[in-house]
Amino acid sequence: MADQLSSKIRSGKAVFSAWSGIPSQYVAEACARTDFDTVTLDMQHGAQTTQSVTDGIGAIRLAGKPAIVRIPVGRFDMASRALDLGASAVIAPMINSVADARAFAESMKFPPLGGRSWGPHRAITLGGYESNQAYLESANADSLAIAMIETREALDALDDILAVDGIDGIFVGPSDFSIAWSGGKTVNPVLDDMMEGVAEIARRAKAAGKFPAIFVFDPGVVAQYAGYGYQLFAMATDGLYIARGAGDLVAAARQAVKSS
Ligand code: 3PY
Ligand code: MG
């Protein structure tokens, strides 16, 4: 049985992820019930906890969508745990070296590829796997390990990171990348100067057979990134969705009163 997310990625189609930092299964479910392909629960900068991720993955999967978890920096124990709880992919921030990439892959893949420990009971239930054996046979291919490239060190080590077996894709964090690119002078996720670097990362990832992903605030840049070869777009953020939706609604209501 192939996982919905890995099948979509392997088909080469564009994949759009909602991004949820609010630790609530209701918010996760609301995001999953939109036209997004998947929902990412953010434990790095978002307020998601082990408990809210447990609840959120259930809510997303029961809404018929695959779930992704972004773990905190270096928390590779949480990567395995997210998979056990039913996540289809894990995004690991600040993968700056081959050692980081190997440690991440080790936590994500069962032997012989890695050293993931057995215990995916919730994943088996939510995924409708027929048996433990069926899960074991598809887990390494279906559980996507996505390494974040967001520093100069990561860029310098990119080809070696891409060569690590068990790393399936890379994910550019454009805010951190802009800080690194400008030597700490600016934070701007669409910094003009760094676009050559952003394009180069996608080109090298694809040449290595790994899929490139990126974080996006403004849908206006998606076509440009797709042109570079990016395939997975994570779109910020649940707080912004609420603020924009509420803002539009109340503005329309106030306008209606004014013009009546
Ligand atoms: C970044 O832009 O640095 C990110 O980590 C996106 O969430
Ligand atoms: Mg970042």
Side-chain angles (χ1 to χ4, degrees), residues 143-172:
S143 308
L144 302 175
I146 308 173
M148 287 195 75
I149 303 297
E150 45 187 353
T151 63
R152 289 266 182 193
E153 298 95 289
L155 187 59
D156 291 345
L158 182 62
D159 290 332
D160 294 333
I161 290 171
L162 286 166
V164 172
D165 268 352
I167 296 296
D168 301 291
I170 53 94
F171 185 111
V172 173

PDB file of all heavy atoms in Angstrom, residues 143-172:
ATOM      1  N   SER A 143       7.821   6.839   4.199  1.00  0.00           N
ATOM      2  CA  SER A 143       8.013   7.852   5.252  1.00  0.00           C
ATOM      3  C   SER A 143       9.114   8.800   4.775  1.00  0.00           C
ATOM      4  O   SER A 143      10.287   8.454   4.770  1.00  0.00           O
ATOM      5  CB  SER A 143       8.455   7.182   6.560  1.00  0.00           C
ATOM      6  OG  SER A 143       7.558   6.139   6.879  1.00  0.00           O
ATOM      7  N   LEU A 144       8.711   9.999   4.393  1.00  0.00           N
ATOM      8  CA  LEU A 144       9.657  10.890   3.714  1.00  0.00           C
ATOM      9  C   LEU A 144      10.485  11.703   4.713  1.00  0.00           C
ATOM     10  O   LEU A 144       9.934  12.403   5.569  1.00  0.00           O
ATOM     11  CB  LEU A 144       8.897  11.829   2.778  1.00  0.00           C
ATOM     12  CG  LEU A 144       8.036  11.138   1.710  1.00  0.00           C
ATOM     13  CD1 LEU A 144       7.231  12.170   0.919  1.00  0.00           C
ATOM     14  CD2 LEU A 144       8.906  10.302   0.769  1.00  0.00           C
ATOM     15  N   ALA A 145      11.800  11.632   4.558  1.00  0.00           N
ATOM     16  CA  ALA A 145      12.730  12.411   5.389  1.00  0.00           C
ATOM     17  C   ALA A 145      13.141  13.648   4.602  1.00  0.00           C
ATOM     18  O   ALA A 145      13.777  13.543   3.542  1.00  0.00           O
ATOM     19  CB  ALA A 145      13.956  11.561   5.727  1.00  0.00           C
ATOM     20  N   ILE A 146      12.763  14.808   5.123  1.00  0.00           N
ATOM     21  CA  ILE A 146      12.981  16.063   4.387  1.00  0.00           C
ATOM     22  C   ILE A 146      13.917  16.955   5.216  1.00  0.00           C
ATOM     23  O   ILE A 146      13.567  17.400   6.318  1.00  0.00           O
ATOM     24  CB  ILE A 146      11.633  16.772   4.120  1.00  0.00           C
ATOM     25  CG1 ILE A 146      10.639  15.792   3.451  1.00  0.00           C
ATOM     26  CG2 ILE A 146      11.847  18.003   3.256  1.00  0.00           C
ATOM     27  CD1 ILE A 146       9.225  16.340   3.299  1.00  0.00           C
ATOM     28  N   ALA A 147      15.095  17.204   4.681  1.00  0.00           N
ATOM     29  CA  ALA A 147      16.152  17.931   5.408  1.00  0.00           C
ATOM     30  C   ALA A 147      16.111  19.411   5.045  1.00  0.00           C
ATOM     31  O   ALA A 147      16.149  19.765   3.859  1.00  0.00           O
ATOM     32  CB  ALA A 147      17.517  17.344   5.045  1.00  0.00           C
ATOM     33  N   MET A 148      16.063  20.280   6.068  1.00  0.00           N
ATOM     34  CA  MET A 148      16.033  21.725   5.768  1.00  0.00           C
ATOM     35  C   MET A 148      17.426  22.257   5.477  1.00  0.00           C
ATOM     36  O   MET A 148      18.391  22.011   6.200  1.00  0.00           O
ATOM     37  CB  MET A 148      15.404  22.510   6.929  1.00  0.00           C
ATOM     38  CG  MET A 148      13.895  22.305   6.987  1.00  0.00           C
ATOM     39  SD  MET A 148      13.039  23.519   8.026  1.00  0.00           S
ATOM     40  CE  MET A 148      13.078  24.982   6.971  1.00  0.00           C
ATOM     41  N   ILE A 149      17.505  23.009   4.381  1.00  0.00           N
ATOM     42  CA  ILE A 149      18.737  23.679   3.955  1.00  0.00           C
ATOM     43  C   ILE A 149      18.475  25.166   4.180  1.00  0.00           C
ATOM     44  O   ILE A 149      17.628  25.762   3.488  1.00  0.00           O
ATOM     45  CB  ILE A 149      19.024  23.391   2.458  1.00  0.00           C
ATOM     46  CG1 ILE A 149      19.108  21.881   2.205  1.00  0.00           C
ATOM     47  CG2 ILE A 149      20.271  24.122   1.968  1.00  0.00           C
ATOM     48  CD1 ILE A 149      20.231  21.171   2.911  1.00  0.00           C
ATOM     49  N   GLU A 150      19.156  25.755   5.149  1.00  0.00           N
ATOM     50  CA  GLU A 150      18.828  27.148   5.476  1.00  0.00           C
ATOM     51  C   GLU A 150      20.020  27.919   6.029  1.00  0.00           C
ATOM     52  O   GLU A 150      19.849  28.962   6.641  1.00  0.00           O
ATOM     53  CB  GLU A 150      17.611  27.235   6.402  1.00  0.00           C
ATOM     54  CG  GLU A 150      17.588  26.283   7.574  1.00  0.00           C
ATOM     55  CD  GLU A 150      16.273  26.298   8.363  1.00  0.00           C
ATOM     56  OE1 GLU A 150      15.398  27.133   8.117  1.00  0.00           O
ATOM     57  OE2 GLU A 150      16.135  25.446   9.258  1.00  0.00           O
ATOM     58  N   THR A 151      21.220  27.381   5.806  1.00  0.00           N
ATOM     59  CA  THR A 151      22.429  28.087   6.252  1.00  0.00           C
ATOM     60  C   THR A 151      23.522  27.963   5.180  1.00  0.00           C
ATOM     61  O   THR A 151      23.410  27.136   4.262  1.00  0.00           O
ATOM     62  CB  THR A 151      22.997  27.469   7.549  1.00  0.00           C
ATOM     63  OG1 THR A 151      23.390  26.125   7.264  1.00  0.00           O
ATOM     64  CG2 THR A 151      21.994  27.475   8.689  1.00  0.00           C
ATOM     65  N   ARG A 152      24.571  28.756   5.318  1.00  0.00           N
ATOM     66  CA  ARG A 152      25.745  28.656   4.432  1.00  0.00           C
ATOM     67  C   ARG A 152      26.424  27.293   4.569  1.00  0.00           C
ATOM     68  O   ARG A 152      26.863  26.710   3.582  1.00  0.00           O
ATOM     69  CB  ARG A 152      26.768  29.741   4.788  1.00  0.00           C
ATOM     70  CG  ARG A 152      26.324  31.122   4.410  1.00  0.00           C
ATOM     71  CD  ARG A 152      26.874  31.480   3.023  1.00  0.00           C
ATOM     72  NE  ARG A 152      26.490  32.832   2.695  1.00  0.00           N
ATOM     73  CZ  ARG A 152      26.593  33.345   1.478  1.00  0.00           C
ATOM     74  NH1 ARG A 152      27.061  32.631   0.474  1.00  0.00           N
ATOM     75  NH2 ARG A 152      26.229  34.584   1.249  1.00  0.00           N
ATOM     76  N   GLU A 153      26.506  26.797   5.826  1.00  0.00           N
ATOM     77  CA  GLU A 153      27.148  25.486   6.059  1.00  0.00           C
ATOM     78  C   GLU A 153      26.387  24.410   5.293  1.00  0.00           C
ATOM     79  O   GLU A 153      26.988  23.523   4.675  1.00  0.00           O
ATOM     80  CB  GLU A 153      27.141  25.088   7.552  1.00  0.00           C
ATOM     81  CG  GLU A 153      27.890  25.996   8.465  1.00  0.00           C
ATOM     82  CD  GLU A 153      26.950  27.024   9.105  1.00  0.00           C
ATOM     83  OE1 GLU A 153      26.468  27.939   8.399  1.00  0.00           O
ATOM     84  OE2 GLU A 153      26.694  26.920  10.310  1.00  0.00           O
ATOM     85  N   ALA A 154      25.059  24.481   5.341  1.00  0.00           N
ATOM     86  CA  ALA A 154      24.240  23.482   4.647  1.00  0.00           C
ATOM     87  C   ALA A 154      24.471  23.573   3.143  1.00  0.00           C
ATOM     88  O   ALA A 154      24.579  22.551   2.453  1.00  0.00           O
ATOM     89  CB  ALA A 154      22.770  23.690   4.975  1.00  0.00           C
ATOM     90  N   LEU A 155      24.571  24.803   2.635  1.00  0.00           N
ATOM     91  CA  LEU A 155      24.791  24.975   1.200  1.00  0.00           C
ATOM     92  C   LEU A 155      26.159  24.406   0.808  1.00  0.00           C
ATOM     93  O   LEU A 155      26.279  23.711  -0.203  1.00  0.00           O
ATOM     94  CB  LEU A 155      24.701  26.467   0.842  1.00  0.00           C
ATOM     95  CG  LEU A 155      24.747  26.813  -0.637  1.00  0.00           C
ATOM     96  CD1 LEU A 155      23.603  26.137  -1.393  1.00  0.00           C
ATOM     97  CD2 LEU A 155      24.664  28.334  -0.834  1.00  0.00           C
ATOM     98  N   ASP A 156      27.162  24.665   1.629  1.00  0.00           N
ATOM     99  CA  ASP A 156      28.504  24.132   1.345  1.00  0.00           C
ATOM    100  C   ASP A 156      28.507  22.603   1.349  1.00  0.00           C
ATOM    101  O   ASP A 156      29.275  21.989   0.615  1.00  0.00           O
ATOM    102  CB  ASP A 156      29.525  24.637   2.386  1.00  0.00           C
ATOM    103  CG  ASP A 156      29.786  26.139   2.244  1.00  0.00           C
ATOM    104  OD1 ASP A 156      29.417  26.701   1.187  1.00  0.00           O
ATOM    105  OD2 ASP A 156      30.326  26.746   3.195  1.00  0.00           O
ATOM    106  N   ALA A 157      27.681  22.002   2.209  1.00  0.00           N
ATOM    107  CA  ALA A 157      27.677  20.533   2.344  1.00  0.00           C
ATOM    108  C   ALA A 157      26.563  19.889   1.510  1.00  0.00           C
ATOM    109  O   ALA A 157      26.308  18.688   1.631  1.00  0.00           O
ATOM    110  CB  ALA A 157      27.482  20.163   3.809  1.00  0.00           C
ATOM    111  N   LEU A 158      25.905  20.699   0.641  1.00  0.00           N
ATOM    112  CA  LEU A 158      24.666  20.236   0.002  1.00  0.00           C
ATOM    113  C   LEU A 158      24.813  18.905  -0.751  1.00  0.00           C
ATOM    114  O   LEU A 158      24.006  17.991  -0.554  1.00  0.00           O
ATOM    115  CB  LEU A 158      24.117  21.321  -0.945  1.00  0.00           C
ATOM    116  CG  LEU A 158      22.801  20.960  -1.639  1.00  0.00           C
ATOM    117  CD1 LEU A 158      21.680  20.742  -0.627  1.00  0.00           C
ATOM    118  CD2 LEU A 158      22.386  22.060  -2.626  1.00  0.00           C
ATOM    119  N   ASP A 159      25.836  18.786  -1.592  1.00  0.00           N
ATOM    120  CA  ASP A 159      25.943  17.560  -2.390  1.00  0.00           C
ATOM    121  C   ASP A 159      26.130  16.331  -1.503  1.00  0.00           C
ATOM    122  O   ASP A 159      25.574  15.271  -1.777  1.00  0.00           O
ATOM    123  CB  ASP A 159      27.071  17.679  -3.422  1.00  0.00           C
ATOM    124  CG  ASP A 159      26.682  18.676  -4.523  1.00  0.00           C
ATOM    125  OD1 ASP A 159      25.471  18.827  -4.786  1.00  0.00           O
ATOM    126  OD2 ASP A 159      27.588  19.318  -5.091  1.00  0.00           O
ATOM    127  N   ASP A 160      26.890  16.496  -0.418  1.00  0.00           N
ATOM    128  CA  ASP A 160      27.100  15.364   0.501  1.00  0.00           C
ATOM    129  C   ASP A 160      25.818  15.038   1.272  1.00  0.00           C
ATOM    130  O   ASP A 160      25.511  13.871   1.513  1.00  0.00           O
ATOM    131  CB  ASP A 160      28.250  15.674   1.470  1.00  0.00           C
ATOM    132  CG  ASP A 160      29.587  15.780   0.727  1.00  0.00           C
ATOM    133  OD1 ASP A 160      29.729  15.140  -0.336  1.00  0.00           O
ATOM    134  OD2 ASP A 160      30.467  16.523   1.197  1.00  0.00           O
ATOM    135  N   ILE A 161      25.067  16.087   1.645  1.00  0.00           N
ATOM    136  CA  ILE A 161      23.781  15.852   2.328  1.00  0.00           C
ATOM    137  C   ILE A 161      22.837  15.113   1.374  1.00  0.00           C
ATOM    138  O   ILE A 161      22.168  14.140   1.751  1.00  0.00           O
ATOM    139  CB  ILE A 161      23.164  17.188   2.802  1.00  0.00           C
ATOM    140  CG1 ILE A 161      23.988  17.771   3.962  1.00  0.00           C
ATOM    141  CG2 ILE A 161      21.701  17.025   3.202  1.00  0.00           C
ATOM    142  CD1 ILE A 161      23.612  19.186   4.386  1.00  0.00           C
ATOM    143  N   LEU A 162      22.815  15.562   0.122  1.00  0.00           N
ATOM    144  CA  LEU A 162      21.924  14.942  -0.877  1.00  0.00           C
ATOM    145  C   LEU A 162      22.303  13.486  -1.141  1.00  0.00           C
ATOM    146  O   LEU A 162      21.464  12.674  -1.528  1.00  0.00           O
ATOM    147  CB  LEU A 162      21.980  15.733  -2.188  1.00  0.00           C
ATOM    148  CG  LEU A 162      21.255  17.091  -2.166  1.00  0.00           C
ATOM    149  CD1 LEU A 162      21.649  17.927  -3.379  1.00  0.00           C
ATOM    150  CD2 LEU A 162      19.747  16.897  -2.106  1.00  0.00           C
ATOM    151  N   ALA A 163      23.576  13.159  -0.921  1.00  0.00           N
ATOM    152  CA  ALA A 163      24.034  11.795  -1.205  1.00  0.00           C
ATOM    153  C   ALA A 163      23.708  10.823  -0.076  1.00  0.00           C
ATOM    154  O   ALA A 163      23.920   9.615  -0.222  1.00  0.00           O
ATOM    155  CB  ALA A 163      25.547  11.808  -1.452  1.00  0.00           C
ATOM    156  N   VAL A 164      23.184  11.342   1.047  1.00  0.00           N
ATOM    157  CA  VAL A 164      22.881  10.444   2.175  1.00  0.00           C
ATOM    158  C   VAL A 164      21.650   9.600   1.833  1.00  0.00           C
ATOM    159  O   VAL A 164      20.572  10.134   1.550  1.00  0.00           O
ATOM    160  CB  VAL A 164      22.649  11.262   3.483  1.00  0.00           C
ATOM    161  CG1 VAL A 164      22.141  10.356   4.602  1.00  0.00           C
ATOM    162  CG2 VAL A 164      23.930  11.974   3.895  1.00  0.00           C
ATOM    163  N   ASP A 165      21.824   8.282   1.865  1.00  0.00           N
ATOM    164  CA  ASP A 165      20.704   7.361   1.644  1.00  0.00           C
ATOM    165  C   ASP A 165      19.699   7.563   2.761  1.00  0.00           C
ATOM    166  O   ASP A 165      20.080   7.630   3.921  1.00  0.00           O
ATOM    167  CB  ASP A 165      21.200   5.913   1.748  1.00  0.00           C
ATOM    168  CG  ASP A 165      21.596   5.373   0.404  1.00  0.00           C
ATOM    169  OD1 ASP A 165      21.344   6.051  -0.607  1.00  0.00           O
ATOM    170  OD2 ASP A 165      22.181   4.273   0.391  1.00  0.00           O
ATOM    171  N   GLY A 166      18.443   7.666   2.401  1.00  0.00           N
ATOM    172  CA  GLY A 166      17.433   7.854   3.455  1.00  0.00           C
ATOM    173  C   GLY A 166      16.984   9.296   3.567  1.00  0.00           C
ATOM    174  O   GLY A 166      16.013   9.580   4.245  1.00  0.00           O
ATOM    175  N   ILE A 167      17.682  10.228   2.922  1.00  0.00           N
ATOM    176  CA  ILE A 167      17.165  11.597   2.801  1.00  0.00           C
ATOM    177  C   ILE A 167      16.401  11.623   1.479  1.00  0.00           C
ATOM    178  O   ILE A 167      16.960  11.367   0.409  1.00  0.00           O
ATOM    179  CB  ILE A 167      18.302  12.655   2.797  1.00  0.00           C
ATOM    180  CG1 ILE A 167      19.054  12.661   4.132  1.00  0.00           C
ATOM    181  CG2 ILE A 167      17.746  14.051   2.474  1.00  0.00           C
ATOM    182  CD1 ILE A 167      18.245  13.072   5.354  1.00  0.00           C
ATOM    183  N   ASP A 168      15.082  11.925   1.573  1.00  0.00           N
ATOM    184  CA  ASP A 168      14.234  11.853   0.372  1.00  0.00           C
ATOM    185  C   ASP A 168      14.083  13.192  -0.320  1.00  0.00           C
ATOM    186  O   ASP A 168      13.880  13.248  -1.534  1.00  0.00           O
ATOM    187  CB  ASP A 168      12.841  11.341   0.764  1.00  0.00           C
ATOM    188  CG  ASP A 168      12.901   9.975   1.420  1.00  0.00           C
ATOM    189  OD1 ASP A 168      13.214   9.014   0.699  1.00  0.00           O
ATOM    190  OD2 ASP A 168      12.661   9.873   2.634  1.00  0.00           O
ATOM    191  N   GLY A 169      14.120  14.260   0.461  1.00  0.00           N
ATOM    192  CA  GLY A 169      13.924  15.577  -0.131  1.00  0.00           C
ATOM    193  C   GLY A 169      14.618  16.628   0.718  1.00  0.00           C
ATOM    194  O   GLY A 169      15.050  16.346   1.845  1.00  0.00           O
ATOM    195  N   ILE A 170      14.730  17.830   0.157  1.00  0.00           N
ATOM    196  CA  ILE A 170      15.284  18.934   0.945  1.00  0.00           C
ATOM    197  C   ILE A 170      14.257  20.074   0.950  1.00  0.00           C
ATOM    198  O   ILE A 170      13.394  20.158   0.063  1.00  0.00           O
ATOM    199  CB  ILE A 170      16.658  19.417   0.435  1.00  0.00           C
ATOM    200  CG1 ILE A 170      16.620  19.747  -1.058  1.00  0.00           C
ATOM    201  CG2 ILE A 170      17.728  18.373   0.700  1.00  0.00           C
ATOM    202  CD1 ILE A 170      16.351  21.146  -1.359  1.00  0.00           C
ATOM    203  N   PHE A 171      14.363  20.923   1.956  1.00  0.00           N
ATOM    204  CA  PHE A 171      13.358  21.967   2.161  1.00  0.00           C
ATOM    205  C   PHE A 171      14.110  23.258   2.487  1.00  0.00           C
ATOM    206  O   PHE A 171      14.832  23.321   3.488  1.00  0.00           O
ATOM    207  CB  PHE A 171      12.466  21.543   3.330  1.00  0.00           C
ATOM    208  CG  PHE A 171      11.286  22.431   3.620  1.00  0.00           C
ATOM    209  CD1 PHE A 171       9.998  21.996   3.376  1.00  0.00           C
ATOM    210  CD2 PHE A 171      11.447  23.696   4.160  1.00  0.00           C
ATOM    211  CE1 PHE A 171       8.889  22.798   3.671  1.00  0.00           C
ATOM    212  CE2 PHE A 171      10.359  24.510   4.451  1.00  0.00           C
ATOM    213  CZ  PHE A 171       9.071  24.054   4.200  1.00  0.00           C
ATOM    214  N   VAL A 172      13.938  24.247   1.640  1.00  0.00           N
ATOM    215  CA  VAL A 172      14.610  25.530   1.879  1.00  0.00           C
ATOM    216  C   VAL A 172      13.781  26.365   2.848  1.00  0.00           C
ATOM    217  O   VAL A 172      12.581  26.566   2.647  1.00  0.00           O
ATOM    218  CB  VAL A 172      14.816  26.298   0.555  1.00  0.00           C
ATOM    219  CG1 VAL A 172      15.350  27.706   0.819  1.00  0.00           C
ATOM    220  CG2 VAL A 172      15.776  25.532  -0.356  1.00  0.00           C
TER     221      VAL A 172
END
